[in-house]
Amino acid sequence: MSFTTPHVEFLKDIENYLPLGTLTLPSDQGSSLGSYWQEYYPEVIYGSSTLANEARDLHKSVWALLCLGWLRTFARNHPQDRNLVHIRVYVLPSDVGGRYVERSVKDWERIKKLMKYVDVSAEGWEGTGDLKQPKDDLFGHQPRPEDDDSLFYIFNTLPSPKPSSFTSCPYSSHAVSSLLDNTKNIPGLQTELYAYQRRSAAVMIQREAQPARTLDPRLEEINCPTGGKYLYDRTTGAIFRYPRFYEEARGGILAETMGLGKTLICLATILATQGHWPQIPPQYSLERRRLRSRVGSLMAMAAAAANQERIPWRSHFQRMSSQGDDFDSCRRVLEQNVPSYTIPAPEARRSRRPATEQPGKRIELCATTLVVVPLNLFSHWRNEIATHVEEGILKVLYVDSNEVLMPSARELQLYDIILMTKARLEEEMSLTSSLKNCCTCTETVRCYCSAHNNVPYSSPLATLHFLRIIVDEGHDFSSFGRKNNAVFALQKLHVERRWIVSGTPSSGLLGIEASTATLETLSGVSDRDSLLVKEILESRRSHGADLRLEPSVRKSALLQERKDLEKLGSIVVDFLDLRPWANGKGGNDVASWKQYIIPNEHGQRKPQSLRKVLETLVIRHRIEDVEKDIKLPTLHNRTVYLEPRWHDKLSLNLFIINLTVNAVTSERVDQDYMFHPKNRASLNQLITNLRYSGFYWTAFTKEEVSKSIEVSRKYLEDRSTSGPGKERLGNLQEGDFNHLRRAIHMGETVLDCPSWRAFSTAHELGLYIDDFPEDAREAWSLTKDTPGELLITGAPQMSKAKNFIDTHLYASDPASGLDVLGKTTMDKLWQGVQAKPLKTKRDDKHTVSLQYSLQKRGSAPVSTSIQKPPTMGKRTISRAKPSSSPRRTSSQATHESRTSDQPAIQSIQPQRLKSALKSSSTTQAGQPFEPSSILSKTRLSGTASAKLSYLLDRITVLHESEKILIFYEGDNIAFYIAQTLELFGIQFLIYTGSLSALRKSAYITTFNTTETFRILLMDVHQAAHGLHIAAASRVFFVNPVWQPTVEAQAIKRAHRIGQKRPVYVETLVLKDTLEDQMLRRRKNMSAQEHHKAAKSLLDDDVMEQVIKDADFIPLLPEEIKNVQNQMAPLQNPQNLFGRLSAGVADFHDPDKDLVFPEGMQLPSRKRKVGENGVIDSDCSLSFKQVKVTFGI
């Protein structure tokens, strides 16, 4: 093969090569080489029979690379052993000599093989190193500890932002300087920023205006054995002499910890850069400026020049206008001379016909920030803008639904912020959008625009180049393995600066402080968090490659890590468009996120690229740096262990009866056995129902319990040989028959309990009332022959009795007619129970199959223990209203809270009392009854739920001085609590997933800004979406939460910036029950085990075995015989009648005291009138009303 002279000269020049390292090999010819360096050829290597046996691949690789001119080798006898060959290897870098030497991926793979044997140390280069000492592996062919760092560990050890005040843009430099100067306020911002918030906002602007140039994250610097450095790509094997740099993203991920004011940081950034212009993209910046059709005025040309120079005139004129100067004419001219650029039309296909030149797409620059949020956070942003920004400083367009028409592009340019929902953005940019074009005609009489000509919708957003886009809770825009509609919509926008705002961009990107929030407070240890941070970090450092973990746990952790990184890659590539990861496919420099960042099947990732990428993207302060600037109120977290009461034990034991009877009668084989893999969905529902029963449960029926007893007895008879206790074991275990006998005995005890039969038949929450009027006691009782003066009834029944008495407070005998109402009420109840038997949701195919199989075998029925029941259609807002004011907006509520430090609660006199004109001077204030009246002594003494009784005791003590946030799982639990709160006249709101977005927003705003509603009940799974509920300082979990991250995010709804009080968290647990064991197990699980069992308790092997081995909760003799001992007593029994200070029910408008976002109201709906008043259909859950509590 002949080479041109330049080619040969290039290959001869050793300066074109890099000193890579040395090889030390045995050779029979070693003694003939001498002590001087000489060009070394492959036949010498081939002559080494020892090497040929150990590393034949090395010979092939060196031979091929030498022939291609990629390598130069020089050899001599080794100074320490003449039988060894000391070889110096020089390599031709990938970025040198491209015109002379062809490169291919296959050849770089040969370089990777060579690296396994090369010694890159300076001692090895000189031949002075220890021959017996193994060489360092610098090229990543062996696992390194830092390559195994988990996403969680890397995220929590990123350095805190350290901004500098200099940027190439003088206006951005001024904005950064003003943010970093603690003595200056941001113009238009009326909230004082903390130092860490200033730093975060400053870094945001700095990255936007002057993104740094960083080394290609795929490359690592390696020290040459002769000094200097070169760059190596561990994945491809490519070697580079010169560094390659990429520009960082003009944006990133604002990931400050939950509750530290990310929205406020964004608003500060927007205000500091108000009126700043984006740059024309470099690929379009060289086009000729558009020529005017005629010579413009001096003012017009000056305005065009000012905009071309990107002068932020908007904020300047705003300051001048605040001083009384009027520059409207200047503003109008500046707004009419906006810079623009043209995107050329795609090239037409080649054709014989002459091609018609297509015009390009004209894009105008826009100094507007586009803020995209989930629907449930729309009102939160609206309220934050109203709270933190001075009125009239920012012009904001609110687009929360498809009914809002999008203005024209020229009008959009006048806004500082366009706040819109994610759903509207997707519809806005959809090719099949049903939206209508906005009229842009200047003449209203003759309108010929596309708005009235059935022209397909064309979004004006697509014709503007926005300054910035902020996506709140942006992790929702990422998806695993595919692009979603939001990503496609965002890719159609032209935006210079892009930000994701989320404290948890993926499941693995969770702050360490969230992990400490779920830990119990240690008495006497003030710096508990700082003591645990290091321990938690080290325990979660591995992402799944740790061989000390069990294989199943390691596999689950690695799978979760891969999913998290897939989602992060979607943000990096699809949204932030970060190079090199967003390099187009098919080019010469394609960077695969999956290949470089996501761990391989062994749990290892090639280079330290992930940490480098996160350092350039994420803005987040370490918690120790935040605490230097602000100290949140103390967080107190404790677990309250309660003794289960009679009905708690019965409910839990009924589930254990089901599991026991099923395990024994199915003999734990085939699909009849509940723990068979095919029954996993049904079993998961059973375990969920079992957890809910720790609060209260009435779904088991007498017929089902009787059937279980009958099947169990028949099974024992069939297996009996020569009498009781001598049954054939077969596939069963010793003790199974005794356990089955205990189940029979427990079932009989349940059936013999009158109160259980009454509660399960009526499906009511059981209440125990003392000193109820004797002549009406039997009429209101759910049970017969209740001893003493104790009344056992249900919460809805007592609500009717209370309303009756309160309506007749000033009558001569308020209790007159109470017995008649009681008889009527109870008759309707029992008639309804008979007419409408227990209903559950339609069975899935697994449930139907399992039921049929068990019936065929004659096994115990488990239908109610494996079905998901409907939720009772109860209201989510209390009907008692202490205020008669009309509905208010958030701005009015905010104004009131700022102008008065007094509580907003007003005590009003009842407006619907029959004897309202009668004077109440005969009784003391707040005590409508005579001291001798039995009604003044009637009190609620206990309930059928230990947790409910404890919660009521705490609420009655705390609700007047502190607001309370109660987290629950299962909507019926919330409604049980709500029923008793209404008896006490305590105002509440229930925040559940089925509410409309507007009502959700109104509930949060009302709870935070008014004193009317003191209690917010919230589904714990609705608490992980950026909600701000700092008004609450008392937090209760009525059931322990299995996922620590869900619990942590729920706690951070209250423990955040804006919280003025210490936050007290209490988790209620029934002692020595399944939930007790669950919580103890959760506390001892590793992060990898939590990832494995995140969806179900059954995915944890320990908990699955605990459930299989569950034993009955013993019943005490004094509980069986004495009804008084069966209730869960209140420590402070509460008077039932005449509680006027809390307000009287206003049935006409349950939404009267809600605070709605500015300019928004609930749509008028037809109200349904019932016995208890008028109910707005939108304030109820959209479920069919059935008198049942989670029939299993």
Side-chain angles (χ1 to χ4, degrees):
M1 182 175 182
S2 60
F3 299 106
T4 60
T5 301
H7 186 186
V8 174
E9 293 298 325
F10 174 83
L11 295 178
K12 284 183 177 181
D13 189 354
I14 196 63
E15 295 297 327
N16 293 325
Y17 290 79
L18 282 172
L20 184 64
T22 59
L23 295 169
T24 302
L25 305 174
S27 176
D28 298 335
Q29 305 178 18
S31 58
S32 62
L33 290 174
S35 58
Y36 297 99
W37 295 105
Q38 54 183 296
E39 193 88 20
Y40 195 56
Y41 295 100
E43 58 265 19
V44 180
I45 300 177
Y46 184 73
S48 173
S49 59
T50 304
L51 180 64
N53 292 331
E54 292 181 355
R56 294 181 180 179
D57 287 345
L58 175 62
H59 164 258
K60 295 178 181 179
S61 298
V62 172
W63 170 259
L65 294 171
L66 284 170
C67 292
L68 291 171
W70 284 41
L71 292 183
R72 297 279 299 276
T73 55
F74 297 84
R76 65 173 180 176
N77 292 337
H78 200 284
Q80 301 181 37
D81 188 345
R82 295 181 60 83
N83 292 322
L84 297 176
V85 180
H86 187 207
I87 307 172
R88 287 180 173 175
V89 181
Y90 293 80
V91 65
L92 186 65
S94 179
D95 52 351
V96 175
R99 60 182 299 188
Y100 302 115
V101 180
E102 295 183 359
R103 314 299 172 101
S104 69
V105 175
K106 182 178 180 181
D107 295 325
W108 283 120
E109 287 293 330
R110 294 190 175 104
I111 291 288
K112 289 176 61 177
K113 293 179 181 178
L114 176 63
M115 293 299 188
K116 297 179 182 180
Y117 303 93
V118 172
D119 182 0
V120 298
S121 66
E123 294 80 8
W125 187 263
E126 297 298 332
T128 59
D130 188 352
L131 296 178
K132 298 180 180 180
Q133 183 72 21
K135 67 181 182 64
D136 295 333
D137 181 71
L138 298 181
F139 297 100
H141 302 292
Q142 298 296 327
R144 301 174 304 173
E146 57 268 28
D147 290 339
D148 190 35
D149 287 349
S150 67
L151 191 60
F152 174 86
Y153 181 85
I154 295 174
F155 182 68
N156 282 282
T157 55
L158 293 174
S160 297
K162 296 180 180 179
S164 63
S165 59
F166 174 77
T167 65
S168 58
C169 174
Y171 310 112
S172 298
S173 292
H174 176 74
V176 172
S177 299
S178 63
L179 280 167
L180 295 179
D181 189 348
N182 294 329
T183 63
K184 295 182 180 180
N185 294 326
I186 306 301
L189 189 67
Q190 56 190 11
T191 302
E192 183 66 28
L193 295 174
Y194 292 104
Y196 77 89
Q197 292 173 327
R198 289 178 174 269
R199 291 193 296 270
S200 293
V203 171
M204 288 179 68
I205 297 174
Q206 185 176 318
R207 291 188 180 180
E208 290 177 341
Q210 188 173 338
R213 290 173 56 83
T214 58
L215 182 67
D216 190 333
R218 297 169 293 177
L219 304 180
E220 292 183 72
E221 288 187 341
I222 304 295
N223 293 322
C224 277
T226 59
K229 297 179 183 293
Y230 61 89
L231 299 139
Y232 178 58
D233 186 335
R234 293 176 184 270
T235 301
T236 63
I239 295 174
F240 300 90
R241 167 169 284 172
Y242 306 107
R244 293 193 304 179
F245 294 97
Y246 284 95
E247 189 177 82
E248 294 180 3
R250 291 182 182 267
I253 303 173
L254 178 61
E256 295 289 6
T257 300
M258 296 175 290
L260 293 185
K262 294 185 289 292
T263 305
L264 178 57
I265 293 172
C266 292
L267 291 176
T269 302
I270 294 172
L271 284 169
T273 58
Q274 185 182 14
H276 287 206
W277 292 93
Q279 296 179 359
I280 294 177
Q283 62 269 35
Y284 308 119
S285 61
L286 298 180
E287 69 177 29
R288 293 182 58 187
R289 296 183 180 179
R290 292 189 307 117
L291 298 178
R292 299 177 183 270
S293 57
R294 59 181 181 179
V295 178
S297 66
L298 181 59
M299 179 180 287
M301 289 189 288
N307 286 332
Q308 290 291 344
E309 295 298 323
R310 301 167 54 225
I311 297 175
W313 49 264
R314 185 174 298 178
S315 57
H316 174 74
F317 283 122
Q318 192 172 61
R319 288 192 298 269
M320 298 292 287
S321 297
S322 64
Q323 299 173 5
D325 297 327
D326 183 12
F327 294 96
D328 287 345
S329 58
C330 294
R331 282 174 177 267
R332 285 194 296 269
V333 173
L334 287 165
E335 292 166 358
Q336 294 168 2
N337 290 269
V338 176
S340 64
Y341 61 91
T342 302
I343 300 178
E347 294 184 4
R349 294 183 179 181
R350 293 185 177 182
S351 174
R352 294 180 180 179
R353 297 180 180 180
T356 303
E357 184 177 354
Q358 298 293 329
K361 183 178 181 180
R362 184 165 173 258
I363 306 295
E364 292 189 345
L365 300 188
C366 180
T368 304
T369 295
L370 184 63
V371 180
V372 182
V373 301
L375 184 59
N376 65 315
L377 292 184
F378 186 87
S379 296
H380 166 73
W381 268 83
R382 191 167 189 160
N383 293 337
E384 290 291 282
I385 293 173
T387 301
H388 300 299
V389 180
E390 294 179 9
E391 187 176 355
I393 296 298
L394 292 178
K395 189 174 182 181
V396 185
L397 174 65
Y398 298 100
V399 186
D400 64 327
S401 65
N402 292 346
E403 283 70 30
V404 180
L405 289 178
M406 187 66 68
S408 65
R410 184 52 55 91
E411 291 178 274
L412 290 176
Q413 290 173 321
L414 305 180
Y415 289 96
D416 296 296
I417 296 177
I418 301 175
L419 178 63
M420 65 189 311
T421 63
K422 171 187 172 184
R424 175 58 190 265
L425 176 66
E426 293 177 3
E427 182 68 20
E428 189 76 23
M429 308 307 293
S430 173
L431 296 176
T432 58
S433 176
S434 60
L435 300 176
K436 297 181 179 180
N437 290 289
C438 182
C439 177
T440 58
C441 297
T442 57
E443 297 184 12
T444 57
V445 178
R446 292 185 175 184
C447 176
Y448 300 101
C449 74
S450 59
H452 305 288
N453 294 329
N454 296 323
V455 177
Y457 182 73
S458 177
S459 175
L461 299 179
T463 64
L464 298 174
H465 189 106
F466 291 96
L467 174 70
R468 181 188 294 112
I469 184 171
I470 296 175
V471 181
D472 199 0
E473 296 301 325
H475 56 270
D476 290 338
F477 281 76
S478 61
S479 57
F480 177 67
R482 62 181 179 84
K483 293 182 179 180
N484 54 32
N485 293 334
V487 172
F488 284 115
L490 290 170
Q491 290 177 341
K492 295 178 182 179
L493 295 174
H494 307 281
V495 186
E496 180 179 87
R497 310 171 185 189
R498 300 167 179 257
W499 289 100
I500 291 285
V501 178
S502 176
T504 55
S506 69
S507 301
L509 290 174
L510 187 67
I512 184 70
E513 57 283 347
S515 298
T516 61
T518 61
L519 302 177
E520 289 193 63
T521 306
L522 303 177
S523 59
V525 182
S526 58
D527 56 345
R528 175 198 62 158
D529 291 354
S530 59
L531 295 175
L532 292 173
V533 164
K534 185 175 181 181
E535 179 182 347
I536 295 175
L537 279 175
E538 289 301 322
S539 67
R540 297 189 59 179
R541 182 164 187 170
S542 171
H543 64 260
D546 192 344
L547 298 178
R548 295 171 296 180
L549 299 174
E550 294 182 8
S552 61
V553 175
R554 187 166 65 249
K555 181 179 179 181
S556 175
L558 182 57
L559 178 62
Q560 183 63 44
E561 181 92 356
R562 292 173 66 90
K563 287 182 178 180
D564 288 337
L565 290 172
E566 284 272 6
K567 293 181 178 180
L568 183 62
S570 176
I571 294 175
V572 169
V573 176
D574 298 326
F575 178 71
L576 295 175
D577 196 31
L578 180 65
R579 310 292 173 176
W581 313 112
N583 289 348
K585 295 182 179 180
N588 296 325
D589 190 27
V590 178
S592 169
W593 178 266
K594 179 178 180 180
Q595 187 178 15
Y596 283 88
I597 300 298
I598 299 179
N600 58 24
E601 63 275 9
H602 303 295
Q604 302 159 9
R605 57 175 71 91
K606 301 296 175 60
Q608 300 182 47
S609 302
L610 180 57
R611 179 175 288 276
K612 294 179 181 178
V613 170
L614 291 181
E615 287 178 353
T616 63
L617 289 182
V618 175
I619 296 180
R620 180 182 184 275
H621 280 81
R622 293 188 181 184
I623 191 62
E624 58 267 25
D625 294 327
V626 173
E627 291 179 346
K628 296 176 183 177
D629 303 325
I630 179 178
K631 186 70 175 178
L632 289 177
T634 308
L635 174 65
H636 303 273
N637 194 340
R638 73 185 184 107
T639 302
V640 179
Y641 292 96
L642 303 173
E643 290 290 343
R645 307 303 293 189
W646 172 257
H647 284 281
D648 299 321
K649 295 177 181 180
L650 295 188
S651 297
L652 294 169
N653 283 339
L654 281 171
F655 279 96
I656 299 175
I657 289 174
N658 259 8
L659 292 172
T660 300
V661 175
N662 173 262
V664 177
T665 58
S666 69
E667 301 182 358
R668 299 185 180 89
V669 295
D670 299 331
Q671 195 170 343
D672 293 349
Y673 184 37
M674 278 294 298
F675 285 85
H676 190 276
K678 290 186 177 180
N679 298 327
R680 179 52 64 97
S682 299
L683 184 59
N684 275 327
Q685 186 59 51
L686 184 147
I687 301 305
T688 299
N689 296 339
L690 174 55
R691 290 182 56 210
Y692 294 165
S693 70
F695 186 86
Y696 189 69
W697 198 265
T698 64
F700 287 103
T701 65
K702 293 182 294 184
E703 293 74 18
E704 290 168 347
V705 178
S706 299
K707 180 64 176 177
S708 295
I709 295 174
E710 177 187 345
V711 169
S712 301
R713 283 176 173 165
K714 186 177 185 305
Y715 184 82
L716 290 175
E717 291 175 1
D718 294 341
R719 299 302 300 267
S720 178
T721 55
S722 59
K726 298 183 179 180
E727 293 83 357
R728 298 187 308 274
L729 284 177
N731 295 326
L732 300 177
Q733 303 172 2
E734 292 185 10
D736 278 346
F737 293 107
N738 289 333
H739 205 46
L740 190 58
R741 292 190 186 93
R742 292 177 61 198
I744 294 173
H745 177 70
M746 186 63 67
E748 291 173 340
T749 303
V750 171
L751 292 177
D752 289 340
C753 177
S755 58
W756 179 87
R757 293 197 304 268
F759 296 155
S760 64
T761 303
H763 307 294
E764 295 292 4
L765 172 65
L767 300 182
Y768 294 78
I769 311 297
D770 272 326
D771 294 320
F772 195 81
E774 185 176 358
D775 56 348
R777 188 180 304 152
E778 183 178 353
W780 287 95
S781 178
L782 286 174
T783 62
K784 295 182 180 180
D785 303 326
T786 302
E789 298 179 351
L790 190 66
L791 169 64
I792 301 178
T793 188
Q797 289 73 48
M798 273 302 92
S799 179
K800 288 188 177 183
K802 179 181 181 299
N803 289 338
F804 179 84
I805 295 296
D806 289 347
T807 306
H808 298 78
L809 279 181
Y810 302 104
S812 58
D813 183 8
S816 176
L818 184 61
D819 56 340
V820 177
L821 177 63
K823 187 178 184 306
T824 304
T825 301
M826 301 308 291
D827 287 345
K828 286 185 177 180
L829 171 64
W830 297 123
Q831 291 172 7
V833 169
Q834 293 175 0
K836 298 180 180 179
L838 177 67
K839 296 182 180 180
T840 54
K841 289 189 176 180
R842 182 176 299 174
D843 301 334
D844 59 28
K845 60 181 181 181
H846 300 292
T847 303
V848 172
S849 175
L850 180 59
Q851 291 172 352
Y852 175 78
S853 177
L854 293 176
Q855 292 170 5
K856 188 176 180 181
R857 286 182 57 103
S859 299
V862 292
S863 60
T864 57
S865 63
I866 58 177
Q867 291 179 352
K868 185 176 181 181
T871 304
M872 295 182 299
K874 300 293 186 179
R875 289 167 292 102
T876 60
I877 181 172
S878 53
R879 286 180 297 200
K881 300 291 178 181
S883 171
S884 59
S885 61
R887 295 183 185 181
R888 293 170 294 167
T889 62
S890 58
S891 62
Q892 292 170 330
T894 304
H895 175 74
E896 291 174 10
S897 64
R898 290 176 183 169
T899 57
S900 175
D901 296 329
Q902 299 299 322
I905 292 181
Q906 303 174 13
S907 297
I908 66 169
Q909 292 298 322
Q911 298 181 6
R912 301 188 61 199
L913 301 180
K914 290 185 177 179
S915 54
L917 298 178
K918 181 174 180 178
S919 173
S920 60
S921 60
T922 57
T923 59
Q924 297 179 359
Q927 298 182 4
F929 306 113
E930 296 290 347
S932 59
S933 173
I934 187 65
L935 296 177
S936 66
K937 300 177 182 179
T938 305
R939 61 192 182 276
L940 175 64
S941 297
T943 74
S945 167
K947 290 184 178 180
L948 180 59
S949 293
Y950 176 85
L951 198 59
L952 292 177
D953 277 325
R954 299 293 288 156
I955 288 174
T956 54
V957 171
L958 298 170
H959 82 279
E960 292 185 355
S961 58
E962 298 185 64
K963 287 193 175 183
I964 301 171
L965 180 58
I966 302 174
F967 288 110
Y968 65 87
E969 292 182 87
D971 287 332
N972 280 352
I973 293 177
F975 296 133
Y976 287 139
I977 299 172
Q979 286 175 348
T980 54
L981 293 179
E982 284 201 328
L983 287 177
F984 295 167
I986 299 175
Q987 310 306 301
F988 65 85
L989 297 166
I990 303 178
Y991 190 101
T992 185
S994 61
L995 295 177
S996 65
L998 178 57
R999 185 168 289 275
K1000 285 181 179 180
S1001 174
Y1003 282 12
I1004 296 297
T1005 304
T1006 302
F1007 186 73
N1008 282 330
T1009 60
T1010 73
E1011 296 296 322
T1012 304
F1013 297 94
R1014 309 295 297 170
I1015 297 175
L1016 178 65
L1017 297 105
M1018 176 174 283
D1019 185 338
V1020 71
H1021 296 289
Q1022 295 292 315
H1025 299 288
L1027 298 177
H1028 178 89
I1029 319 177
S1033 56
R1034 294 283 177 168
V1035 179
F1036 292 92
F1037 291 91
V1038 296
N1039 295 101
V1041 182
W1042 174 242
Q1043 304 98 326
T1045 54
V1046 174
E1047 180 184 349
Q1049 294 206 47
I1051 293 173
K1052 297 305 288 186
R1053 298 309 107 215
H1055 190 242
R1056 58 198 296 118
I1057 285 183
Q1059 180 58 259
K1060 306 301 182 183
R1061 297 171 176 261
V1063 176
Y1064 294 87
V1065 180
E1066 296 184 35
T1067 300
L1068 310 186
V1069 179
L1070 293 182
K1071 189 177 180 181
D1072 297 327
T1073 61
L1074 173 67
E1075 64 182 19
D1076 187 359
Q1077 294 174 290
M1078 182 198 81
L1079 184 60
R1080 296 180 192 277
R1081 168 59 182 158
R1082 195 199 81 173
K1083 293 178 179 179
N1084 294 323
M1085 291 171 66
S1086 66
Q1088 292 82 2
E1089 289 172 322
H1090 277 300
H1091 279 304
K1092 177 187 175 185
K1095 294 182 179 180
S1096 170
L1097 275 74
L1098 297 172
D1099 291 332
D1100 179 61
D1101 297 335
V1102 175
M1103 278 308 304
E1104 183 178 19
Q1105 194 59 45
V1106 166
I1107 296 170
K1108 288 181 178 179
D1109 298 339
D1111 199 0
F1112 295 105
I1113 304 173
L1115 304 177
L1116 302 179
E1118 56 268 25
E1119 293 176 324
I1120 299 176
K1121 299 177 181 179
N1122 192 334
V1123 175
Q1124 287 281 357
N1125 293 331
Q1126 292 180 359
M1127 72 173 176
L1130 292 176
Q1131 295 297 319
N1132 301 299
Q1134 298 293 312
N1135 290 338
L1136 189 61
F1137 300 131
R1139 304 173 68 97
L1140 294 183
S1141 60
V1144 177
D1146 180 354
F1147 301 116
H1148 287 293
D1149 191 359
D1151 296 333
K1152 181 186 296 183
D1153 288 310
L1154 291 184
V1155 179
F1156 292 88
E1158 187 71 29
M1160 302 175 68
Q1161 291 288 338
L1162 285 173
S1164 58
R1165 293 175 181 267
K1166 182 178 180 180
R1167 297 179 181 273
K1168 177 182 177 182
V1169 181
E1171 293 184 22
N1172 292 333
V1174 182
I1175 302 175
D1176 190 336
S1177 60
D1178 189 45
C1179 71
S1180 300
L1181 292 183
S1182 55
F1183 293 105
K1184 189 174 182 180
Q1185 182 167 351
V1186 180
K1187 277 293 184 181
V1188 57
T1189 65
F1190 280 87
I1192 322 171

